[in-house]
Amino acid sequence: MTPDTIVLVHGFWVTARSWEHWKTHYEKQGYRVLAPNYPGFEVEVESLNADPSPIANVTVPQIISHFEAVIGELSSPPIIIGHSAGGAFTQVLLDHGFGAVGVAINSAPTEGVVVAPPSQLRSTFPILRNPANRHKAVGFTHEQWQYAFTNTFTEEESRALYERYHIPGSAGILWSSLLANVQPGHQDVWVDYRNDNRAPLLFVSGGEDHLMPPSVQKSNAKHYKSDAVTEIREYAGYAHLLPAQEGWERIADDVLAWAVAHAR
């Protein structure tokens, strides 16, 4: 049965508002589209910038549980599309048995992926340079945001998106992700790469992404050893904030067509 619902999972340093155009685009095609915020993020961007305490306190298990509850209430498995950290959460949700198919766009890595290109280190340095940030919500300056998220955008486009979408991010979760590969036992973004029962998964990579470059997407995809469908597509010239870059409609349609063709 073809899914009739799409669940969009946002990443850090933005909210579900970042999906506003994709939500409308898919709704015009007849889909029911849900774009939930993380727990505590239900207020507007401006409110989270004024009081980022919900960002500092949220945990990955809380986020995963929240999305599992949302999806669990649906009458049939949806298409799950996640961006950045939302891509990693999409992988976890599929591994937990949720969704008919998944798409991870410029995904943050799941546990075991150790590739860390120089552009990624430079992008995350403003957050990681101070260990005291681990218990804080930390934002980017516009200059830092433009390097990490919008390096292929014009200055005017980048600043407009910064003002509309940017919020602080949880430095604690970023630190935990960094340390996940050296800590014993399974961590928050662990997935079973040999899970044959997982729904099909497509990685989408922006060719110019500084924050989660193509090498990260390729390494993450290669970790999967199961019989479940796992594919990767790269779009040349696209930055990390691919869902807001000119031409996003073509990619939105491409990934939806792939998802519909592979949904189980």
Side-chain angles (χ1 to χ4, degrees):
M1 182 175 68
T2 301
D4 62 2
T5 301
I6 299 171
V7 176
L8 302 172
V9 187
H10 67 87
F12 288 115
W13 291 284
V14 298
T15 68
R17 180 189 283 183
S18 62
W19 287 120
E20 56 186 339
H21 300 303
W22 285 54
K23 186 173 188 296
T24 302
H25 185 74
Y26 286 148
E27 286 174 340
K28 288 180 178 177
Q29 298 181 42
Y31 288 90
R32 178 189 184 195
V33 185
L34 306 178
N37 274 297
Y38 297 163
F41 285 45
E42 295 84 359
V43 298
E44 293 294 342
V45 166
E46 293 76 11
S47 296
L48 286 171
N49 277 307
D51 176 16
S53 55
I55 297 166
N57 295 328
V58 73
T59 67
V60 170
Q62 287 173 340
I63 295 169
I64 296 296
S65 294
H66 179 63
F67 276 86
E68 288 180 347
V70 170
I71 296 170
E73 292 181 355
L74 301 176
S75 58
S76 61
I79 297 168
I80 305 175
I81 300 176
H83 172 244
S84 196
F89 300 153
T90 296
Q91 295 181 61
V92 175
L93 290 167
L94 295 186
D95 185 46
H96 289 186
F98 292 86
V101 63
V103 178
I105 301 172
N106 288 340
S107 181
T110 43
E111 188 175 333
V113 179
V114 296
V115 175
S119 70
Q120 185 182 58
L121 297 176
R122 178 177 168 181
S123 296
T124 55
F125 180 73
I127 312 302
L128 298 176
R129 64 182 173 184
N130 185 355
N133 285 340
R134 291 190 64 175
H135 305 291
K136 299 178 181 176
V138 182
F140 290 111
T141 65
H142 174 253
E143 182 180 8
Q144 293 163 347
W145 158 275
Q146 188 166 29
Y147 182 82
F149 281 75
T150 56
N151 49 297
T152 59
F153 295 59
T154 67
E155 170 80 12
E156 182 179 10
E157 291 170 336
S158 177
R159 189 168 292 280
L161 292 166
Y162 178 79
E163 292 174 355
R164 180 149 182 80
Y165 294 148
H166 173 265
I167 60 171
S170 168
I173 290 178
L174 183 59
W175 270 101
S176 296
S177 176
L178 180 70
L179 298 173
N181 294 324
V182 297
Q183 294 179 318
H186 298 323
Q187 304 302 309
D188 291 341
V189 289
W190 178 83
V191 298
D192 180 0
Y193 293 117
R194 298 184 182 277
N195 180 1
D196 291 332
N197 296 318
R198 171 182 57 75
L201 170 63
L202 173 66
F203 284 89
V204 171
S205 180
E208 303 301 322
D209 185 350
H210 280 169
L211 184 57
M212 299 296 167
S215 59
V216 174
Q217 309 310 309
K218 292 172 184 174
S219 177
N220 200 153
K222 287 181 179 177
H223 273 68
Y224 283 96
K225 306 300 182 185
S226 72
D227 293 332
V229 173
T230 307
E231 295 183 11
I232 184 168
R233 289 183 181 178
E234 182 173 329
Y235 289 87
Y238 278 83
H240 188 67
L241 200 61
L242 177 153
Q245 187 168 340
E246 184 178 359
W248 64 264
E249 296 93 337
R250 175 176 63 91
I251 299 176
D253 290 341
D254 281 354
V255 303
L256 179 59
W258 186 95
V260 169
H262 290 83
R264 65 180 190 181

